[in-house]
C-alpha cells in the first residue's frame, strides 16, 4: 500500500485528527481506530507501544516534516489519529 496516498485519501474522505494533543484526546476518548506516529514524536508512550488499548499504533519511519509531507500538508505532523478511514485502506496497515 502507498502510505502517502492512503493518508491523503483518509484526510480527504474520512475523519482524521492531526497533532499530538488531538491524537491523545482521541485515544483517551476511545474514538481513534489507528494512530500514526512519526519517529520524532515527543510522546514516548506513543513511540514505545504497538497498541494502546485496542487501538493499533503505526510507526512512520520518517520525521514529523516527512509525515506532514506524506499527508500533503506544508507543516510537520508528529502524530495523527484516524477516527474514520473514509474510502482509504489505511486501517489495513501492519502495526507490528
Amino acid at each position: 500500500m502507498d502510505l502517502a496516498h492512503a493518508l491523503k485519501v483518509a484526510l480527504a474522505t474520512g475523519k482524521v485528527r492531526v497533532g499530538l494533543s488531538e491524537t491523545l484526546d482521541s485515544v483517551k476518548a476511545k474514538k481513534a481506530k489507528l494512530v500514526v506516529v512519526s519517529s520524532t514524536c515527543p510522546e514516548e508512550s506513543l513511540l514505545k507501544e504497538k497498541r494502546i488499548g485496542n487501538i493499533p499504533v503505526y510507526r512512520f519511519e520518517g520525521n514529523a516534516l516527512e509525515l506532514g509531507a506524506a499527508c500533503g500538508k506544508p507543516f510537520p505532523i508528529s502524530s495523527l489519529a484516524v477516527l474514520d478511514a473514509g474510502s482509504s485502506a489505511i486501517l489495513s496497515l501492519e502495526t507490528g
Side-chain angles (χ1 to χ4, degrees):
M1 168 191 337
D2 179 15
L3 178 61
H5 177 72
L7 285 167
K8 288 174 188 168
V9 172
L11 284 161
T13 65
K15 196 169 190 178
V16 179
R17 298 285 181 228
V18 174
L20 183 56
S21 58
E22 292 283 331
T23 299
L24 292 173
D25 289 346
S26 298
V27 167
K28 288 176 188 170
K30 297 182 177 160
K31 293 185 177 186
K33 294 182 181 172
L34 173 71
V35 172
V36 178
V37 183
S38 75
S39 64
T40 55
C41 179
E43 183 63 41
E44 288 294 321
S45 64
L46 289 178
L47 285 173
K48 293 180 181 176
E49 300 297 324
K50 292 183 182 177
R51 296 182 85 73
I52 300 172
N54 291 332
I55 304 166
V57 177
Y58 178 81
R59 290 190 191 127
F60 182 75
E61 295 295 321
N63 62 32
L65 282 171
E66 293 167 328
L67 181 55
C71 291
K73 302 294 181 185
F75 50 83
I77 297 175
S78 61
S79 66
L80 60 89
V82 178
L83 309 182
D84 177 15
S87 58
S88 167
I90 196 159
L91 295 180
S92 66
L93 282 175
E94 289 295 322
T95 58

